[in-house]
């Protein structure tokens, strides 16, 4: 029998994006896994697992209980946005510490979150729910233009689009509704005030009601009207942290979150922070890894510590910058070749997530950031500016070739997948 504490991880994600999370937790904990597919790369990090349909609440709870019968679990965590509510429900069923199901529902539902932000005086965006196109039209008359049309409970910028005039609303509402249909909690659409300013996220750790803002992630966005993120940078010495930390902490408190790791998205409007949303889990897009490279703080380990009743160590041990650039095609098509032609100073890793022959579908052709992303590269440097310059240099050494395919054919293939 191992003397190490045992944590249940729900939905580990893909190795390229989330493998570092499981690896960091496994450095200090024994792990049992609840997953939707038979483990492959995860096997080296776990001591046991159960496979269940994670979209079926009854099956997920049954599999979790079966693991609890075989093991003395100390805690349960997930970094999967889509499984925040089911994991909270599982924790309650197993008698393990976690934020409540109600709190996780509030985090998942952007309309509920906006209401709580307003009630607690957290600066946010004006927002109205629209179940029909007519309701969306009325909302734009109230809120004005530009406006943002988005799913009420989605993730990863799926279905989020900006419009500048009323004529753009029907197509935008259809786009957002398609994204909203993927949610298990709420298939509604929101019409929101457009917050004009740079976008950042605040990576936070909350323990027993006290929030520590660990780092700021500055974001690079793709072309409008979409909000797909094409890169991030983290600097251990970012002066913006002191400005955004109080607003992030206030938003977390307004939602009722008492414990865990949070990824808080903010826009700086006229130099002041305005809330976009609070994600009650570790940020995606390798952000936790960037934070670790830049500061030495291990957010995945912190999440496991808190879940298992331990105080997380948030002491910085590094003082540098880190950057990630995502590799996207200039147009939709079929990937025919991809390689990095030369190594660049500060290159930490390059990962290709698509193979030759794979279709790449950009948002304007019916896809999203996941259907178009070819991979990513990560660089470090003494500052975030230096790391980003190295990432730009590395990006220029890429050889990516895409054969154009008619958008209609790509969209049809994607929907059939």
């Amino acid at each position: 029998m191992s003397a190490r504490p045992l944590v249940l991880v729900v939905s580990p994600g893909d190795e390229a994006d989330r493998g570092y999370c499981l690896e960091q937790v496994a450095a200090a904990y024994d792990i049992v896994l609840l997953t939707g597919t038979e483990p492959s790369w995860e096997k080296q990090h776990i001591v046991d697992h159960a496979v269940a349909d994670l979209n079926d609440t009854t099956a997920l709870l049954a599999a979790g209980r079966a693991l609890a019968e075989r093991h003395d679990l100390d805690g349960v965590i997930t970094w999967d946005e889509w499984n925040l509510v089911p994991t909270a429900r599982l924790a309650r069923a197993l008698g393990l510490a976690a934020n409540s199901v109600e709190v996780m529902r509030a985090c998942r539902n952007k309309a509920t979150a906006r209401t709580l932000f307003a009630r607690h005086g957290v600066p946010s965006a004006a927002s109205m729910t629209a179940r029909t196109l007519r309701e969306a039209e009325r909302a734009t008359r109230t809120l004005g233009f530009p406006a943002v049309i988005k799913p009420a409970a989605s993730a990863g910028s799926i279905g989020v689009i900006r419009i500048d005039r009323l004529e753009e609303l029907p197509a935008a509402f259809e786009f957002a509704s398609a994204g909203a249909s993927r949610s298990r909690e709420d298939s509604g659409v929101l019409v929101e005030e457009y917050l004009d300013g740079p976008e950042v996220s605040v990576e936070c750790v909350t323990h027993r009601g006290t929030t520590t803002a660990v780092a700021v992630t500055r974001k690079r966005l793709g072309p409008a009207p979409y909000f797909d993120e094409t890169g991030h940078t983290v600097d251990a010495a970012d002066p913006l942290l002191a400005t955004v930390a109080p607003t992030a902490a206030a938003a977390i408190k307004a939602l009722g979150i008492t414990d865990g790791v949070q990824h808080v998205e903010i826009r700086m409007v006229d130099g002041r922070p305005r809330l976009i949303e609070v994600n009650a889990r570790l940020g995606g897009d390798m952000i936790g890894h960037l934070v670790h490279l830049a500061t030495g703080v291990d957010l995945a380990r912190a999440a496991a510590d808190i879940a298992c009743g331990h105080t997380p160590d948030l002491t910085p041990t590094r003082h540098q910058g880190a950057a990630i650039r995502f590799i996207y095609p200039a147009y939709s098509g079929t990937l025919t070749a991809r390689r990095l032609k030369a190594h660049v100073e500060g290159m930490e890793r390059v990962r290709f997530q698509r193979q030759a022959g794979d279709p790449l579908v950009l948002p304007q052709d019916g896809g999203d950031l996941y259907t178009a992303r070819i991979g990513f590269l990560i660089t470090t440097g003494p500052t975030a500016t230096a790391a980003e310059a190295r990432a730009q240099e590395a990006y220029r050494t890429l050889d990516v070739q895409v054969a154009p395919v008619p958008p209609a054919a790509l969209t049809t293939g994607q929907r059939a997948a």
Side-chain angles (χ1 to χ4, degrees), residues 130-131 149-151 159 171-182 187-189:
R131 296 286 176 180
I149 317 299
K150 65 198 297 185
F173 187 79
E174 182 180 359
F175 179 75
S177 297
S181 68
R182 298 165 65 170
S187 60
V189 169

Side-chain angles (χ1 to χ4, degrees), residues 81-148:
E81 177 73 20
W82 306 103
N83 279 292
L84 288 173
V85 173
T87 299
R89 189 176 289 116
L90 176 60
R92 182 165 63 186
L94 299 181
L96 297 172
N99 293 292
S100 71
V101 173
E102 294 70 27
V103 167
M104 289 298 98
R105 282 179 178 152
C107 294
R108 286 286 299 130
N109 191 296
K110 297 174 177 62
T112 303
R114 291 276 187 245
T115 300
L116 291 171
F117 294 156
R119 183 180 302 165
H120 292 270
V122 180
S124 180
S127 177
M128 297 178 69
T129 300
R131 296 286 176 180
T132 65
L133 178 59
R134 181 168 293 182
E135 289 181 359
E137 290 174 351
R138 287 199 292 267
T140 58
R141 291 192 184 100
T142 300
L143 299 176
F145 295 95
V148 176

Side-chain angles (χ1 to χ4, degrees), residues 23-195:
E23 180 181 355
Q24 289 174 351
V25 173
Y29 290 86
D30 286 342
I31 297 173
V32 294
L33 203 62
L34 180 50
T35 178
T37 58
E38 193 64 30
S40 55
W41 63 270
E42 304 98 329
K43 287 182 178 179
Q44 63 180 315
H45 302 302
I46 65 176
V47 298
D48 196 2
H49 72 277
V51 177
D53 181 355
L54 300 183
N55 294 316
D56 183 333
T57 299
T58 301
L60 187 151
L61 288 172
R65 288 192 177 102
L67 285 170
E69 289 175 0
R70 299 202 294 267
H71 302 279
D72 186 12
L73 301 176
D74 292 286
V76 57
I77 57 172
T78 187
W79 36 77
D80 180 358
E81 177 73 20
W82 306 103
N83 279 292
L84 288 173
V85 173
T87 299
R89 189 176 289 116
L90 176 60
R92 182 165 63 186
L94 299 181
L96 297 172
N99 293 292
S100 71
V101 173
E102 294 70 27
V103 167
M104 289 298 98
R105 282 179 178 152
C107 294
R108 286 286 299 130
N109 191 296
K110 297 174 177 62
T112 303
R114 291 276 187 245
T115 300
L116 291 171
F117 294 156
R119 183 180 302 165
H120 292 270
V122 180
S124 180
S127 177
M128 297 178 69
T129 300
R131 296 286 176 180
T132 65
L133 178 59
R134 181 168 293 182
E135 289 181 359
E137 290 174 351
R138 287 199 292 267
T140 58
R141 291 192 184 100
T142 300
L143 299 176
F145 295 95
V148 176
I149 317 299
K150 65 198 297 185
S154 190
S157 300
I158 293 171
V160 184
I161 189 169
R162 167 183 164 166
I163 60 172
D164 295 305
R165 54 187 184 275
L166 187 61
E167 291 78 10
E168 298 169 350
L169 180 59
F173 187 79
E174 182 180 359
F175 179 75
S177 297
S181 68
R182 298 165 65 170
S183 172
R184 282 179 272 169
E185 286 98 12
D186 190 330
S187 60
V189 169
L190 301 181
V191 178
E192 296 194 338
E193 168 193 12
Y194 174 68
L195 301 178

